[in-house]
Amino acid sequence: MAIVGIDIGGMSIKLGIVSIEGKILEKINFKVDYKKLSSDQVIEMIKDHILMLLDKSKFSKNDLEGIGIGCPGAINAPKGVVDYANNLGWVKVPLVAKLKEYFNVPIYISNDANVAALGEAIYGSGKQYNNSVMITLGTGVGGGIVIDHRLFEGNEGKGAELGHMVIEVDGKECSCGRRGCFEAYSSATALIESTKKAMIENQTSQMWQEVAGNLDKVDGKLAFEYYKKGDLVAKEVIDNYIHYLGEGLLNICNIFRPEAILLGGGISAQKDCLLNLLEPYLEERFYGYRQSPKVALKIATLGNDAGIIGAAALVLQNAIVK
Ligand SMILES: [Zn+2]
């Protein structure tokens, strides 16, 4: 039995054969220049690579049980259509129907953040829980909600946009066009921006010396590193970051009261430092905390494989129900 998980990214596409235990048995990837290729050409490449992957793992096309796909952008999951993916330049691409022309098996698709959440919930840091919410702190803030081991995606699969809940009315501009979204304060992009701003205002900070005044060298790790070294400017940046991140997570605790919140994306590489700052913040402010079950905070464990494993989990999730 072969289940293929496909992780569509802005620069490359990764594919893997995933076992029912959530292990990647074989994987391949290829680079894609979306500016030069039509969506049909990319789909043709995906098809060829599925066949290559099966061949490489000594499976035949007949062994294929299902295909799961994670894709960035606004995805109509029930219809299998990529409605709009800015990074790929795709509008209304019927990806599932096109692949079904080649493969007569169940094919499922969802938004990449949802897919990562499902993979992490079933096979990663959330596997001991029935209900979890994953937050990906990367270029943006992605969200995925898993209830009783299944994704909650909302109508047309367009819900669970936790990064775009407003946490500061009329606050900072967000990429979605609204103001004050969780993403505008809690993404790695937002942390880098506030680090740079603080450095410009405080050129005595050790962070300024670290990059020799070159702000292009500022990344999402710098403020955390210097926070640990006791730099006061870095401390202010991180305290402010944790304040907004914490408020967003508290909203999630109070709305869903999941058993766990799973943190992924570049910022989650801070592991214990991040957890040690967030846990007391949540515990002090958790509405009804004393009478409520604690929400565990976990660092995601599947890393770069979450997309492939989660995409395969879409197939298993649907197979289990039917
Ligand atoms: Zn937004």
Side-chain angles (χ1 to χ4, degrees):
M1 180 172 115
I3 294 165
V4 172
I6 304 176
D7 178 8
I8 299 183
M11 290 193 294
S12 69
I13 296 180
K14 296 184 263 184
L15 304 90
I17 303 253
V18 181
S19 74
I20 203 152
E21 294 84 24
K23 294 267 175 297
I24 296 180
L25 305 175
E26 194 74 67
K27 61 180 171 181
I28 51 174
N29 70 82
F30 62 97
K31 289 211 179 320
V32 184
D33 187 344
Y34 292 96
K35 287 201 177 87
K36 287 190 183 143
L37 298 167
S38 69
S39 58
D40 279 345
Q41 286 171 309
V42 177
I43 293 167
E44 188 74 23
M45 288 166 83
I46 293 174
K47 177 207 89 177
D48 291 343
H49 282 81
I50 292 172
L51 294 173
M52 274 164 58
L53 180 66
L54 288 169
D55 193 48
K56 201 175 166 195
S57 347
K58 310 271 182 274
F59 282 115
S60 78
K61 204 174 157 185
N62 292 334
D63 296 321
L64 187 62
E65 288 279 330
I67 299 171
I69 307 162
C71 184
I75 313 297
N76 187 326
K79 291 204 167 128
V81 176
V82 180
D83 277 344
Y84 178 67
N86 188 31
N87 291 348
L88 319 181
W90 287 7
V91 179
K92 298 273 177 208
V93 175
L95 180 55
V96 167
K98 295 259 177 192
L99 282 176
K100 279 206 179 238
E101 290 172 13
Y102 305 111
F103 303 102
N104 185 27
V105 294
I107 304 179
Y108 304 97
I109 186 168
S110 192
N111 167 278
D112 54 356
N114 286 345
V115 159
L118 184 65
E120 206 52 61
I122 295 183
Y123 297 116
S125 53
K127 65 181 170 191
Q128 73 212 80
Y129 308 108
N130 297 320
N131 303 296
S132 59
V133 173
M134 178 156 172
I135 297 293
T136 309
L137 304 166
T139 313
V141 172
I145 302 158
V146 175
I147 300 173
D148 289 333
H149 304 287
R150 290 185 64 82
L151 269 178
F152 173 82
E153 300 178 281
N155 195 14
E156 282 194 1
K158 303 241 177 69
E161 289 292 346
L162 300 173
H164 299 285
M165 65 175 159
V166 169
I167 54 170
E168 176 98 47
V169 173
D170 296 330
K172 279 161 68 176
E173 217 168 276
C174 179
S175 58
C176 72
R178 290 177 86 199
R179 284 185 171 274
C181 292
F182 188 30
E183 172 170 306
Y185 293 87
S186 303
S187 62
T189 315
L191 176 61
I192 292 167
E193 240 173 60
S194 58
T195 306
K196 285 181 182 174
K197 187 166 175 278
M199 287 167 67
I200 292 167
E201 287 166 2
N202 303 278
Q203 298 188 9
T204 52
S205 161
Q206 292 171 56
M207 294 192 289
W208 191 264
Q209 289 153 31
E210 170 71 39
V211 300
N214 181 357
L215 290 175
D216 292 340
K217 288 189 177 164
V218 176
D219 59 17
K221 295 178 203 145
L222 187 69
F224 273 105
E225 274 166 32
Y226 277 84
Y227 166 83
K228 289 176 213 160
K229 289 178 183 168
D231 184 270
L232 291 177
V233 178
K235 182 179 184 314
E236 208 180 312
V237 171
I238 294 301
D239 285 348
N240 189 53
Y241 179 74
I242 294 295
H243 169 58
Y244 283 103
L245 176 56
E247 291 302 321
L249 297 184
L250 283 168
N251 288 343
I252 292 164
C253 290
N254 288 333
I255 296 167
F256 298 103
R257 195 130 314 172
E259 292 163 83
I261 292 179
L262 319 174
L263 298 171
I267 299 291
S268 72
Q270 298 302 326
K271 295 186 175 166
D272 285 351
C273 178
L274 183 66
L275 296 181
N276 291 340
L277 287 162
L278 276 173
E279 274 167 356
Y281 191 95
L282 300 187
E283 291 195 10
E284 279 164 28
R285 294 166 179 83
F286 195 166
Y287 166 75
Y289 179 72
R290 280 171 192 84
Q291 290 79 34
S292 316
K294 187 173 170 165
V295 177
L297 261 191
K298 298 269 176 182
I299 298 291
T301 53
L302 298 181
N304 291 334
D305 290 335
I308 291 176
I309 295 173
L314 277 179
V315 179
L316 295 166
Q317 167 188 271
N318 286 287
I320 290 160
V321 166
K322 280 166 192 166

